Amino acid sequence: MSLTLRTISREQHLAYIQSQPAASHCQVPAWADVKTEWRSENLGWFDGNGELVGVGLVLYRQLPKIKRYLAYLPEGPVINWHAPNLDDWLQPMLAHLKQQGAFSVKMGPPVVIRRWDSAAIKSGIQNPDVKRLKDVEASHIEPRAFEVADRLRRMGWQQAEDGGAGFGDVQPRYVFQVPLANRSLDDVLKGFNQLWRRNIKKAEKAGVEVVQGGYEDLAEWQRLYEITAVRDRFRPRPLSYFQRMWTVLNSEDPNRMRLYFARHNGVNLSAATMLVVGGHVWYSYGASDNIGREVRPSNAMQWRMLRDAYAMGATVYDLRGISDSLDETDHLFGLIQFKVGTGGEAVEYVGEWDFPLNKLLHKALDMYMSRR
C-alpha cells in the first residue's frame, strides 16, 4: 500500500476522528488551542485511492534562540499501528517533520501492551516482595504490541530512558480504566470493592448531590483545585487554562468537556473535569476540599460520572495516570489504591518514543531537560 502524507485542514482532521470508535483527547484538533505555547499542524495519511486513512496532531516547541523544533504527537498519531508496513506510515512523517525544522520527534503510540485486573493488583499489593506493577503477572498480554515496539527500535526510535515508569513521561504510561463494553451497570457496581460500595451508599444517605457545572462555575472549580494543590504539593494550572480548555474543546464538540461538583448542604466539596472522544471517556482533573470528607463526595462523584459515561455509550471510563509503584510507603500509592477500588484494570501502554533527527541537538535537549 503506497501512502502519502500532507498537511490537512482541521475540519478534515476532526471528521476523521469522528469516524473512529475512539481516539485520545490529545489528538483532537482543538487540543492545539489548549496548548497555546506550541505551534501546531494537522497531518493526514492518504492511501493510493486518495482516501484519508490516518491523522496526527503535531505540536512544535521551538528551541531557545534557534529556529529548530521539538515535534510532539501526544498519544498519537491516529494510524493503524498494527499494519505490517509500519515503516511506510512513519518514514514520510519523519521526512515531513524534518522539512518543517524539527530536530527531534516524540510520539506516544496509543498501543496497549499489558493489563492487570483488580485481583492481580490486590495480590501484588499484599505480597511484600512486590514493589512494582511489572513484578505482578499480567492478566492479559497483547503480543502485537511487542511487535510494534520491535519495529520502532529497528527503525531507530528510542524509548525514554526510564522505560516510562511513573510520571517521567509527558503522558502517563500506566493508566487505570474501567471497561464498560458488554457490561450492565449492575455488573460495574458489583465490580467495585466493598469500601467503594459502602462509601457510595454513605454519600447517598448523607444527601450528597452531584451536579454538572458550566463555564461560569470554573472559578469555583479553581478554588477547590487550589486547595488540592496546596495539600498534595503540586503547582496548579491557572484558571485561564481551564477557561481556555472549556471554550476551545466545547466549541469543537459541545460534549467534549464536562464539569462535575459533589455538594453537601449547598457546599461544593469535590469537583472533576471529564473529557469525551467517541467511546472513550476520561476523568481528567480532580479536586476536593479539606472538609466534608466523611460524607464521601469523591466516591459519589465518580459513580455519577461513570454512570453518565455509560449512558453516553462509552466503552471505557478512564481514570488516567497511575504510578507503577505498589509500595505502600510510596507517596503515589494512594492513587492506585483509590482507583483499584472501582474494580477496573491497570493498563500499560508502549510508552513514548523519540526519534533524534539531529543527534547533537537532541542530546542538548536531553541534557537541558534533565537539569530542570
Side-chain angles (χ1 to χ4, degrees):
M1 178 166 83
S2 68
L3 290 164
T4 52
L5 176 130
R6 62 175 183 267
T7 306
I8 56 171
S9 71
R10 289 178 64 136
E11 291 71 31
Q12 283 173 293
H13 184 144
L14 181 61
Y16 184 80
I17 295 277
Q18 286 166 337
S19 75
Q20 299 300 296
S24 168
H25 61 271
C26 302
Q27 280 294 305
V28 300
W31 193 250
D33 303 327
V34 176
K35 300 291 169 192
T36 47
E37 67 279 23
W38 300 69
R39 178 169 73 82
S40 68
E41 186 184 14
N42 307 83
L43 296 182
W45 280 260
F46 294 85
D47 66 11
N49 304 320
E51 196 174 326
L52 186 61
V53 289
V55 296
L57 174 69
V58 189
L59 302 173
Y60 292 99
R61 191 72 170 270
Q62 192 175 344
L63 268 186
K65 300 190 180 67
I66 55 170
K67 271 227 146 47
R68 300 301 291 279
Y69 302 88
L70 166 68
Y72 180 37
L73 295 97
E75 298 183 8
V78 185
I79 59 173
N80 177 7
W81 283 97
H82 298 296
N85 60 335
L86 196 54
D87 296 46
D88 297 350
W89 290 83
L90 296 178
Q91 291 307 347
M93 179 180 88
L94 289 173
H96 175 86
L97 297 174
K98 190 172 188 171
Q99 226 178 339
Q100 296 288 313
F103 66 88
S104 186
V105 180
K106 185 186 268 298
M107 66 176 183
V111 175
V112 170
I113 200 160
R114 291 183 193 88
R115 297 175 188 272
W116 294 263
D117 62 24
S118 293
I121 301 166
K122 278 179 206 147
S123 69
I125 291 170
Q126 282 155 7
N127 182 342
D129 298 333
V130 167
K131 292 285 179 247
R132 305 230 159 250
L133 210 43
K134 55 176 175 283
D135 303 332
V136 179
E137 195 178 336
S139 322
H140 177 77
I141 289 179
E142 183 52 73
R144 295 190 309 166
F146 292 94
E147 289 168 30
V148 173
D150 282 345
R151 282 199 189 117
L152 291 175
R153 270 188 211 98
R154 284 202 299 272
M155 276 182 243
W157 289 86
Q158 302 167 359
Q159 203 164 13
E161 281 303 295
D162 65 348
F167 289 95
D169 282 353
V170 186
Q171 297 298 334
R173 179 163 180 183
Y174 295 92
V175 300
F176 202 87
Q177 298 177 346
V178 180
L180 301 178
N182 308 318
R183 295 175 77 193
S184 71
L185 264 181
D186 264 1
D187 286 344
V188 175
L189 185 59
K190 279 189 191 119
F192 280 38
N193 70 13
Q194 260 179 316
L195 183 65
W196 260 86
R197 291 203 301 267
R198 219 173 28 239
N199 286 343
I200 290 168
K201 274 216 174 78
K202 198 182 244 180
E204 216 171 289
K205 230 179 180 153
V208 171
E209 53 168 347
V210 181
V211 296
Q212 266 186 264
Y215 180 86
E216 65 287 352
D217 301 302
L218 286 168
E220 173 64 357
W221 148 265
Q222 192 71 16
R223 178 185 75 81
L224 291 167
Y225 173 63
E226 285 179 9
I227 291 171
T228 310
V230 172
R231 184 177 64 237
D232 294 348
R233 298 195 292 275
F234 65 83
R235 212 169 95 205
R237 291 186 180 276
L239 173 60
S240 58
Y241 180 82
F242 295 102
Q243 289 173 327
R244 181 168 71 242
M245 203 171 164
W246 182 275
T247 306
V248 301
L249 292 177
N250 287 337
S251 63
E252 177 176 276
D253 178 332
N255 200 29
R256 186 76 81 221
M257 180 176 174
R258 291 181 171 201
L259 178 62
Y260 287 85
F261 291 99
R263 57 173 66 145
H264 185 243
N265 296 335
V267 179
N268 292 317
L269 298 177
S270 62
T273 61
M274 179 200 260
L275 297 174
V276 182
V277 184
H280 203 127
V281 171
W282 292 264
Y283 154 56
S284 164
Y285 284 88
S288 61
D289 206 330
N290 298 325
I291 57 164
R293 297 186 153 209
E294 67 287 348
V295 295
R296 306 296 176 203
S298 294
N299 299 87
M301 185 173 64
Q302 287 296 341
W303 177 229
R304 162 74 191 272
M305 289 165 71
L306 203 146
R307 292 200 319 266
D308 284 2
Y310 188 89
M312 279 184 247
T315 52
V316 63
Y317 180 71
D318 195 323
L319 290 132
R320 282 301 269 175
I322 51 170
S323 146
D324 69 335
S325 173
L326 297 181
D327 179 353
E328 299 193 14
T329 60
D330 191 306
H331 72 291
L332 290 170
F333 176 74
L335 204 57
I336 192 167
Q337 202 176 28
F338 177 74
K339 293 176 182 182
V340 86
T342 60
E345 53 190 20
V347 175
E348 181 192 2
Y349 284 90
V350 292
E352 294 201 319
W353 295 72
D354 296 311
F355 195 99
L357 292 165
N358 178 318
K359 290 196 168 60
L360 201 68
L361 285 177
H362 179 81
K363 204 169 175 58
L365 178 80
D366 265 0
M367 283 164 69
Y368 168 71
M369 291 309 278
S370 64
R371 283 205 305 269
R372 287 182 70 178

